[in-house]
Amino acid sequence: MAAKGQSELVSNRVAYHHYEISDKFEAGIALKGTEVKSLRENGGSLQESHIRIKSNELWLVGAHIAHYKQGNIQNHEERQDRKLLMHKGEIVRLKGKVAERGYALVPLSMYLKKGKIKILIGLGKGKKAYDKRQELKSKDAKRSIQRELREM
């Protein structure tokens, strides 16, 4: 997913299974130095995380960033709320969409862009269990067709 000049640090592939993503947004993230160093060593996870809007601010909740190995007593907590940085107008627009249509804000990936760590946010609607099963069936069918075409 990382474009030119970007390197992906952490991704949340499970989000595409649980949510139907309609829009994607880029946001900055406020991190400490040890968090940045740990993420550069691929020491993070977005699997159980989500995004909340509190008093017109975006917060990343439940993301795991491992302790930095060479860190000292100033090392960060692994799971803590982290502030996301977006323009106020964008946050208000997202807040309206989440409130009206029943959408959720889901973190999709963290990546480096021009030396700064950015987070890709997805605006998605939760999938039902039958939607997930149908998607898995269609993937399996496509795989079996490709397998048979290769054998010919």
Side-chain angles (χ1 to χ4, degrees):
M1 263 207 173
K4 186 179 177 184
Q6 299 176 356
S7 61
E8 188 169 83
L9 302 172
V10 181
S11 66
N12 187 2
R13 295 187 190 126
V14 180
Y16 291 100
H17 179 70
H18 293 298
Y19 295 94
E20 188 175 321
I21 306 297
S22 60
D23 288 332
K24 295 178 183 177
F25 303 93
E26 181 182 78
I29 183 167
L31 297 173
K32 294 180 181 177
T34 55
E35 291 173 319
V36 173
K37 291 176 182 181
S38 179
L39 280 172
R40 285 178 181 247
E41 293 177 352
N42 294 327
S45 172
L46 293 173
Q47 299 299 339
E48 300 168 2
S49 61
H50 62 281
I51 296 172
R52 278 204 185 122
I53 302 175
K54 299 179 196 171
S55 65
N56 288 337
E57 293 179 341
L58 290 178
W59 291 87
L60 178 64
V61 179
H64 177 268
I65 298 177
H67 283 295
Y68 182 55
K69 293 174 186 166
Q70 285 81 33
N72 55 14
I73 199 163
Q74 302 291 332
N75 219 337
H76 62 275
E77 291 182 34
E78 289 184 350
R79 291 193 188 268
Q80 65 179 353
D81 296 354
R82 293 171 176 89
K83 187 174 180 179
L84 300 180
L85 310 170
M86 285 182 85
H87 291 286
K88 196 170 201 170
E90 292 176 319
I91 294 173
V92 170
R93 191 168 3 126
L94 286 176
K95 187 176 183 179
K97 287 182 181 180
V98 169
E100 280 181 27
R101 303 181 193 159
Y103 281 92
L105 293 173
V106 184
L108 301 175
S109 67
M110 281 187 185
Y111 53 90
L112 276 173
K113 181 178 179 182
K114 297 181 183 177
K116 308 277 189 220
I117 294 184
K118 302 288 184 177
I119 185 165
L120 186 65
I121 300 172
L123 182 68
K125 206 169 222 177
K127 288 184 181 177
K128 304 285 186 210
Y130 57 84
D131 290 334
K132 294 177 190 177
R133 285 193 298 269
Q134 189 65 32
E135 186 178 318
L136 289 175
K137 285 179 188 177
S138 66
K139 280 184 183 179
D140 287 341
K142 287 179 184 177
R143 277 193 212 123
S144 64
I145 290 170
Q146 292 295 326
R147 195 176 308 126
E148 290 186 21
L149 287 175
R150 272 188 258 128
E151 291 175 358
M152 291 182 154

